[in-house]
Amino acid sequence: VQLQASGGGLVQAGGSLRLSCTASGRTFSDYNIGWFRQAPGKEREFVAAISYSYLPYYAESVKGRFTISRDNVKNTVYLQMNSLKPEDTAVYYCAAVVSGRLREARDYGSWGQGTQVTVSS
């Protein structure tokens, strides 16, 4: 599966953005989709994931602020980000895996190109 992430941008602290991850391929519904982020000088970290059965998973740092959802008709996963903080600034990547540990980047086989999110204070 090929992935394309979009929706990043510059927003003030407290604002919102919605990221989209659109996939090509007819078997999108079989995939678990994850969002990860990487800030300059830091390791890539798990943000959120949604299983093929629509179960959501979140990092503690974003729980209650971010919501992940999927639309299998549109082959798209969304990450709604509210109450953004400067520490949310990073390049956000979406990734796909059929089976594996959804919080572990190393388990994902397909990655999108990333979209920049910048939160100003």
Side-chain angles (χ1 to χ4, degrees), residues 37-98:
R37 66 188 180 187
Q38 188 166 18
K42 295 187 177 181
E43 293 187 356
R44 190 169 298 190
E45 66 173 357
F46 171 75
V47 175
I50 188 164
S51 73
Y52 68 92
S53 59
Y54 295 84
L55 291 176
Y57 302 85
Y58 298 100
E60 284 298 320
S61 60
V62 306
K63 197 173 292 185
R65 300 189 297 123
F66 291 10
T67 302
I68 191 168
S69 61
R70 66 188 298 158
D71 183 339
N72 285 350
V73 174
K74 296 183 178 180
N75 280 11
T76 300
V77 168
Y78 303 100
L79 185 67
Q80 179 66 44
M81 306 187 296
N82 298 329
S83 302
L84 283 162
K85 305 175 181 180
E87 51 263 44
D88 294 317
T89 295
V91 177
Y92 283 69
Y93 300 89
C94 61
V97 63
V98 173

Side-chain angles (χ1 to χ4, degrees), residues 10 14 16 28 33 39 56 59 65 110:
L10 173 64
S16 298
F28 174 75
I33 305 295
R65 300 189 297 123
S110 299

